[in-house]
Amino acid sequence: MQAQVDEFVKGNKYTIDSIRVTGLKTFNDQTVISYSGLRHGQVLQLPGEEISGMINKLWKLELFSDINFYLSHIQGDKATLEIQIEELPSLSDVKIQGVKKGKADILIKDTELTKGKKLSESFLTNTKNYIINKYRKEGFLNTKVAFNMLPDTTGTNSLKMVVNIDRGARVKIKDLNFLGNERFGNFKLASKIKKTKKRLPLRFWKKSKYIEKDYIADKEALIDFYKEKGYRDARILKDTVIVNEDNTLSINIDLEEGRRYYFGNIDYIGNGAYTNYQLQQILGIKKGDPYNGVLLKKRIADDTKPDAVDLTNLYQNNGYLFSNINAVEVSAVNDTIDFEIRITEGKLASFNKISVIGNTKTNDHVIFRELRTKPGELYSKDKLVRTVREVGQLGFFDAEQINPNFKKVDPNAGTVDIELGLVESGASQIELQGGYGGGGFIGTLGLSFNNFSMRNIFNKEYYKPLPMGDGQTLRLRLQSSQFYNTYSFSFSEPWLGGRQPVQLSVSLSHTKQFRYDYFTGRADKSQSFEISGVTLGLAKRLQVPDDYFTLSQAVAYQYYNLNNYFTGLFTFGDGESKNLAYTVALSRNNTAVNPIFPTSGSNFTLSGKFTPPYSLFSDIDYADLENQPEYQDVQGNPIASKIDQEKYRWLEYYKIKFSGTWYTKVIGKLILKTQADFGFLGAYNTARGNIPFERFFLGGDGMATYALDGRENIALRGYENQSLSSRDGSVLYNKFTAELRYPITLKPSASIYGLSFLESGNGYDSFRAFNPFQSKRSAGAGIRIFMPAFGLLGIDFGYGFDSASATSNSPNGWETHFIIGQQF
């Protein structure tokens, strides 16, 4: 503060007569005065704490580069004050050079380099340090950042900024050396460091970049390895990162291994609900075992697996919500460590109130019937985890955002409320396709409503735009061209009667096919083939062996009618065939949690499809039909069309299928899916032979194409569609798949994941021809996109290592497969 008047007396009190602000460019006087806290008529001691506080208050705003205070006039006890400031320049525009636009946009957001931002020295320094540190963490240790400020002539006191980023090359690790290690060799220790790798010419799948956070995690993993082997006292004395002249790094890790320890006595303290023997069976660690601190921690509480077999879950799954378990080292004599497992069981807890929020479309009863947590029951962590899985498997909610919240946890009363937070996702899909193929336009309209409400179909109030919320499935599909028309309808109710998980399903279909006229290029309406079908099914969730099992049964009837329709499918062109079949399937599905992207569990299905054994009830000798007069022409030659008409009047067969899928978490979000499939079509009567229907066609994308013979299309990528089966189809096939999946995003609006795969399989014309070592192999990669309105979409690029033809030894090569509405 400087006094510019002679009447000023230091330490006296003065009344503010007026306040003047100078140096302003964008702010007005009243704004600064208001920020300062000074006011007309205020009594101040000059100099004094009020003036110092006012200056500090203005500095904290980070709007000014210089602040000065003057006493410009004194008259008696009246004082005129002047605040002289210099404003910081504002940012009017920013451009980041040296990185891609997408990353530049992220940097602008993270550093708050937005229009109007005041450019203080501290802000610029922090921004520069943030960018440098960000890229250093990614392995760009030589990152340089420079700011270039340009005046903006269109604005007042504003600047344009150009941020120049030179990341340089990632610094590679030339040497990774271990010192002081006697128990384990350098190669063994290097294998435990997963991400900080020494540069090797032939290792292309793992880069040798240095990233600080990964290096820290690797050092912790190295010590954990020692502890798993019994070296409890192992530690890193020091580690040195040396920058070499060739811009590479050498890392030296100096270790102290210590002695190897063993478990001694393990005593349980505080346990009343379970005996020492019961707890010991879960812990699984015996006296004399090498000390393993990591294993001990997991056997107490494995935080990586919510359903792990450990002591904490033993208590948590049986009502002891408030239990606490700790392993305490009580003595260490020579190389033996004694432990006490100290248990505080607490009071038994029960579920009190169970509620759900966020279900804006789905009715409460659809959710509550899937809950494994019931009010009044003992608390169980396992039931809570199972509840999350079952609700996620419905497909009506974003499985990644299902959140069970604990409310009103009361240790004294022994009660807890659970509130299940849900986010609705689209459950209906539409299929609308149009294209030109097979000599004409093909149009398809498909509607799938997966959360339908049939009971409200006549209630106008529930049309938003259709009655939804009861968990039922309604599907309609129409496909038409000048050569065929097909219509299908299906409906399923997952809880028939509303009390038990018994699913009722009904489906109807009708198809009419016309022959192609090669002379006109159009459909010949005088030659037609009609198929009508109906299926009625029931599926019940079992309780034994466990409630992941489902027993499903279905009865299906199909009627085939040929009218002057001569093709290679049948030897007769006029006639009919009927297919009455019973299907029974036993399946077990405990995949979790997201049905679009499962991360754990398995899914197995064993099914059998059987027609009645008509041959047992008939006196017809099918092996001798060709010798019967009614099946011969006037010359005595057998008439194949009449013989086949008799054989296929009622289709007779059995069909056995197995499919098993496993999902295993490899590391982080990387998931390994393995799958095995098998199918066999057999005949009761060898004289009737295998029917030309219901066969397997292996190869390609597995998309269901239009066909009249009830065929099953089995995907095997890397080969053309149906190229791994004979022209009439296979009666037996096997297939094996290994697929690595990684999620890009799992948001409700769109779930996207990438994949790579290995596959092998083949189709066979008879059981005798079956040879699992003659499989056709392939590998490739692809991507899947699931959008609620359209279902699953994808594309795969597969390379077939073998020839699809028996007459060639050349690899099949690359194939592109488009996927719509199905999963592998």
Side-chain angles (χ1 to χ4, degrees), residues 354-631:
I354 310 295
S355 59
V356 295
I357 58 172
N359 53 316
T360 55
K361 299 177 183 177
T362 307
N363 295 321
D364 286 349
H365 73 273
V366 175
I367 304 167
F368 277 104
R369 68 193 184 191
E370 300 293 341
L371 302 185
R372 301 308 171 97
T373 52
K374 307 293 183 183
E377 289 185 350
L378 284 177
Y379 170 82
S380 170
K381 179 183 175 183
D382 179 63
K383 288 184 177 181
L384 196 58
V385 172
R386 184 70 185 275
T387 290
V388 172
R389 178 201 176 270
E390 296 300 329
V391 175
Q393 288 287 308
L394 288 173
F396 307 151
F397 309 100
D398 179 9
E400 304 299 317
Q401 296 190 56
I402 298 176
N403 185 24
N405 298 309
F406 287 70
K407 303 284 187 178
K408 297 182 180 178
V409 180
D410 190 344
N412 295 323
T415 57
V416 60
D417 293 348
I418 302 295
E419 180 184 81
L420 197 63
L422 305 173
V423 177
E424 292 268 8
S425 62
S428 299
Q429 290 140 30
I430 182 170
E431 177 188 3
L432 185 61
Q433 297 180 22
Y436 189 86
F441 180 81
I442 302 173
T444 302
L445 174 63
L447 300 173
S448 179
F449 307 105
N450 297 325
N451 194 4
F452 194 70
S453 176
M454 183 64 76
R455 65 187 174 96
N456 292 316
I457 196 168
F458 299 111
N459 192 333
K460 296 180 180 179
E461 297 180 0
Y462 287 88
Y463 277 76
K464 301 177 182 178
L466 288 170
M468 306 293 284
D470 279 347
Q472 299 162 342
T473 300
L474 177 68
R475 291 189 175 96
L476 299 167
R477 195 171 191 273
L478 313 174
Q479 192 172 47
S480 180
S481 75
Q482 67 165 311
F483 298 103
Y484 67 87
N485 299 305
T486 181
Y487 319 95
S488 64
F489 164 85
S490 66
F491 172 79
S492 67
E493 163 58 70
W495 283 65
L496 183 61
R499 294 188 177 184
Q500 294 293 330
V502 177
Q503 176 176 293
L504 169 69
S505 59
V506 179
S507 66
L508 303 169
S509 64
H510 178 75
T511 298
K512 189 169 186 178
Q513 165 85 26
F514 300 104
R515 281 292 306 276
Y516 175 75
D517 190 324
Y518 289 95
F519 294 101
T520 65
R522 302 184 62 81
D524 185 349
K525 303 291 184 178
S526 66
Q527 303 181 67
S528 64
F529 184 6
E530 292 185 75
I531 306 174
S532 299
V534 59
T535 302
L536 178 65
L538 285 174
K540 182 179 181 180
R541 188 184 300 165
L542 304 179
Q543 300 299 318
V544 177
D546 60 43
D547 58 1
Y548 289 111
F549 279 87
T550 299
L551 178 66
S552 58
Q553 304 175 75
V555 177
Y557 173 78
Q558 286 179 308
Y559 175 73
Y560 303 88
N561 183 26
L562 290 88
N563 177 28
N564 193 29
Y565 194 94
F566 292 88
T567 68
L569 183 62
F570 305 101
T571 56
F572 58 93
D574 285 290
E576 62 181 22
S577 186
K578 305 178 185 70
N579 183 7
L580 177 65
Y582 166 73
T583 301
V584 59
L586 182 66
S587 61
R588 185 181 189 273
N589 182 4
N590 70 334
T591 56
V593 166
N594 190 338
I596 304 301
F597 190 82
T599 57
S600 63
S602 59
N603 189 359
F604 295 90
T605 300
L606 177 64
S607 67
K609 188 174 184 179
F610 308 93
T611 64
Y614 300 108
S615 300
L616 293 179
F617 314 121
S618 172
D619 56 0
I620 299 175
D621 185 357
Y622 292 97
D624 193 48
L625 286 179
E626 60 184 19
N627 298 320
Q628 302 298 319
E630 58 266 35
Y631 300 103

Side-chain angles (χ1 to χ4, degrees), residues 676-695:
D677 296 279
F678 172 85
F680 176 67
L681 176 67
Y684 301 123
N685 188 335
T686 56
R688 295 187 71 167
N690 288 311
I691 62 171
F693 296 87
E694 299 284 339
R695 297 198 175 196

Side-chain angles (χ1 to χ4, degrees), residues 23 25 27 58-59 61-68 84-89 118-121 157:
K25 293 182 178 179
F27 293 97
L58 291 177
W59 276 120
L61 295 174
E62 295 186 352
L63 299 173
F64 312 112
S65 60
D66 194 18
I67 302 172
N68 291 294
Q84 187 182 78
I85 65 173
E86 183 176 338
E87 294 184 26
L88 287 170
K118 293 295 182 180
L119 300 176
S120 66
E121 287 297 326
N157 195 34

